[in-house]
Amino acid sequence: MRLVVAECSARYSGRLTAHLPLATRLLVVKADGSVLLHSDGGSYKPLNWMSPPCTMSVGEPDDEARSRGVVEVWTVQHRKSDDRLEIELHATHHDSAHDLGVDPGLIKDGVEAHLQEMLAAQIELLGDGHTLVRREYMTAIGPVDILAKDGEGGSVAVEIKRRGDIDGVEQLTRYLELMNRDPLLAPVRGVFAAQEIKPQARVLATDRGISCLVLDYDAMRGVDDVDSRLF
Amino acid sequence: MRLVVAECSARYSGRLTAHLPLATRLLVVKADGSVLLHSDGGSYKPLNWMSPPCTMSVGEPDDEARSRGVVEVWTVQHRKSDDRLEIELHATHHDSAHDLGVDPGLIKDGVEAHLQEMLAAQIELLGDGHTLVRREYMTAIGPVDILAKDGEGGSVAVEIKRRGDIDGVEQLTRYLELMNRDPLLAPVRGVFAAQEIKPQARVLATDRGISCLVLDYDAMRGVDDVDSRLF
DNA sequence: CGTTTCATGTCGACT
DNA sequence: AGTCGACGTGAAACG
């Protein structure tokens, strides 16, 4: 990985045409040839970039460019499309190269998955008499996290989220709509379960006759641990 | 902007929970406190990050962490949510800070470029006797959209926007300031041309002696088509 | 400020 | 390789 801090201007053409006026920026050249052009603010998205696979070539400025103070011209060309990024470098303030090696990558900890496991194991949290039918109950539009039956034999569909937002309620609503068309299942009641339920989501859920269940992760894990110790 | 290349591991919790195993990575701390964690490959998206507004605090590792080789602990906390990024730094290979200043940002040439072409072809829209000098007239701070001469031989710098906002007037003002320092060009008059000019922008432009020109895209394209048919 | 739509979306899973 | 859907989507335009 090469890091350069330099005054530069850039021109991108490909899916759109754009340019960056002269300013001081961070240029990152990754091992796979990809290039990022970052400013000192904004988000994680670069001002401009070229994704791999691509090839970078360093060239000399022509006379016109040199008269504008350009010292070096980088041309980054995508290998599979005609996307092209041209960077004109003026003064360079920093330039260093580093060997980073291969990255193991991000590992997403499935808190949601864990909550699902634990709620399946502690299904009585839904209410007395509830029994588990199955986890990841498949429907035409995707798997419902948990399908259960209540004490009276009615079906209960549970959607689990770490953070209970409106989107989750919408998702559960779609499932319920579909499942209630199935005479073998209907009527299906909905339960929206999450570690934290946003007020708006609670209002929407309640309005649609969906119950809300706040899950206490630590308490549930405690119960889980006790259960494990019994074996 | 601070650049650090270090062996590190990280843990993010917020909209999801995830972690990064120990590896050598680039850490970027931007002026607004945001943090990016990049590997030497992939795309422009960091492995992990924290968007502004957020606060970074540097701490000492506890005994357990120190025994694992942790030298420093960075805690990046989002100001408006409970999103949190914790980075454990082991060996540091590089550490440098740079003052980048404010970035003018990316300029997308979409409809704008087309308007520029058409105005260059119909330069008399600026007024009788006007002639085109060149498009994309290069200056130290970026290209002026159109440089023209009026009937009396005076220079005219034209800034073209799809939507004429205050930013565009500011940009043209910077160009004019620079160009009027060049004795070969001065005095340079400014014209702010756009499909639609916001009232505020018009007031500011007028106040600075910059003329406003509303461009009728469809009418201009009509003329363009007629021109094409002549050939 | 909330809401909706766009993106050089990116990214992964599956056909 | 092409398609589809989720994303820590983010970002800009709009009311």
Side-chain angles (χ1 to χ4, degrees):
Chain A
M1 178 184 279
R2 183 175 169 196
L3 303 175
V4 176
V5 176
E7 287 163 40
C8 63
S9 61
R11 199 160 265 291
Y12 164 77
S13 83
R15 275 172 285 190
L16 65 76
T17 314
H19 71 271
L20 280 169
L22 186 62
T24 307
R25 303 189 177 92
L26 166 67
L27 297 89
V28 181
V29 184
K30 292 197 176 188
D32 55 13
S34 58
V35 178
L36 317 185
L37 242 148
H38 268 282
S39 67
D40 201 354
S43 63
Y44 68 73
K45 193 177 180 179
L47 292 164
N48 224 322
W49 70 94
M50 184 61 68
S51 317
C54 62
T55 338
M56 192 188 98
S57 59
V58 177
E60 293 290 312
D62 60 25
D63 291 343
E64 185 275 327
R66 196 182 301 275
S67 74
R68 284 187 285 110
V70 179
V71 173
E72 211 172 88
V73 179
W74 291 6
T75 307
V76 192
Q77 174 73 54
H78 197 269
R79 279 211 194 86
K80 303 204 160 185
S81 71
D82 53 359
D83 283 32
R84 171 190 281 262
L85 178 61
E86 281 171 44
I87 308 169
E88 290 184 342
L89 283 92
H90 296 236
T92 300
H93 301 154
H94 173 91
D95 193 340
S96 65
H98 311 271
D99 188 8
L100 267 59
V102 182
D103 201 285
L106 185 71
I107 294 159
K108 297 186 179 180
D109 305 335
V111 171
E112 195 177 311
H114 195 197
L115 284 171
Q116 189 193 108
E117 283 170 37
M118 293 192 298
L119 182 56
Q122 305 169 38
I123 198 72
E124 67 280 1
L125 284 172
L126 292 176
D128 289 341
H130 279 69
T131 52
L132 177 71
V133 176
R134 69 180 305 171
R135 286 167 50 194
E136 302 278 339
Y137 178 84
M138 208 58 200
T139 74
I141 54 170
V144 176
D145 289 334
I146 285 182
L147 183 66
K149 285 214 179 293
D150 61 25
E152 286 75 46
S155 294
V156 183
V158 186
E159 176 63 38
I160 300 170
K161 290 286 174 199
R162 212 175 77 75
R163 286 189 194 176
D165 220 327
I166 280 184
D167 288 352
V169 180
E170 294 290 4
Q171 190 181 345
L172 178 54
T173 304
R174 288 194 297 273
Y175 286 134
L176 288 170
E177 193 178 6
L178 193 77
M179 296 169 85
N180 273 313
R181 284 197 220 127
D182 183 344
L184 293 178
L185 284 175
V188 184
R189 196 159 54 77
V191 174
F192 189 52
Q195 271 190 284
E196 176 201 352
I197 295 180
K198 293 278 160 71
Q200 286 185 328
R202 182 180 292 275
V203 169
L204 182 65
T206 307
D207 180 64
R208 294 188 178 164
I210 293 169
S211 332
C212 289
L213 175 63
V214 175
L215 301 173
D216 186 331
Y217 188 74
D218 293 327
M220 290 175 81
R221 203 163 49 178
V223 172
D224 234 36
D225 286 351
V226 170
D227 283 357
S228 314
R229 253 177 255 144
L230 293 177
F231 297 94
Chain B
M1 178 184 280
R2 183 175 169 197
L3 303 175
V4 176
V5 176
E7 287 163 39
C8 63
S9 61
R11 194 161 270 289
Y12 164 76
S13 86
R15 274 174 282 189
L16 67 77
T17 314
H19 70 273
L20 281 168
L22 187 62
T24 308
R25 303 190 176 92
L26 166 66
L27 296 91
V28 181
V29 185
K30 292 197 175 187
D32 55 13
S34 58
V35 177
L36 317 185
L37 241 148
H38 268 282
S39 68
D40 201 353
S43 64
Y44 69 71
K45 194 176 180 181
L47 291 163
N48 224 323
W49 71 93
M50 185 61 70
S51 319
C54 62
T55 336
M56 192 188 98
S57 59
V58 177
E60 294 290 312
D62 59 26
D63 290 342
E64 184 275 326
R66 198 182 300 276
S67 75
R68 283 188 286 107
V70 178
V71 174
E72 211 173 84
V73 178
W74 292 6
T75 306
V76 193
Q77 174 74 53
H78 196 269
R79 279 210 193 84
K80 303 205 162 184
S81 72
D82 52 1
D83 283 32
R84 170 189 280 262
L85 179 61
E86 280 170 45
I87 307 169
E88 291 184 341
L89 283 93
H90 296 236
T92 300
H93 301 152
H94 173 93
D95 193 340
S96 64
H98 311 271
D99 188 7
L100 267 59
V102 183
D103 200 286
L106 185 71
I107 295 156
K108 298 184 180 183
D109 322 326
V111 175
E112 196 177 310
H114 195 196
L115 285 171
Q116 187 192 111
E117 284 170 37
M118 294 192 298
L119 182 56
Q122 305 168 38
I123 197 72
E124 67 280 4
L125 286 172
L126 292 177
D128 289 341
H130 279 69
T131 52
L132 176 70
V133 175
R134 70 179 301 171
R135 285 167 51 196
E136 303 277 337
Y137 178 84
M138 209 56 201
T139 73
I141 56 171
V144 175
D145 290 332
I146 285 181
L147 183 65
K149 284 215 179 294
D150 60 25
E152 286 76 46
S155 294
V156 183
V158 186
E159 177 62 36
I160 299 171
K161 290 284 174 203
R162 200 170 69 77
R163 290 180 52 207
D165 222 326
I166 281 185
D167 287 353
V169 181
E170 293 291 3
Q171 189 181 345
L172 177 54
T173 305
R174 288 194 296 275
Y175 286 135
L176 289 170
E177 192 177 8
L178 193 78
M179 296 169 85
N180 272 312
R181 284 197 220 128
D182 182 345
L184 294 177
L185 284 174
V188 185
R189 196 159 53 77
V191 174
F192 189 52
Q195 270 190 285
E196 175 202 351
I197 295 180
K198 291 280 160 70
Q200 287 184 327
R202 183 180 292 275
V203 169
L204 182 65
T206 307
D207 181 63
R208 292 186 179 166
I210 293 169
S211 332
C212 289
L213 174 64
V214 175
L215 301 173
D216 185 332
Y217 188 74
D218 293 328
M220 289 175 81
R221 205 163 48 178
V223 173
D224 235 34
D225 285 351
V226 171
D227 283 357
S228 314
R229 251 177 258 143
L230 294 177
F231 296 93

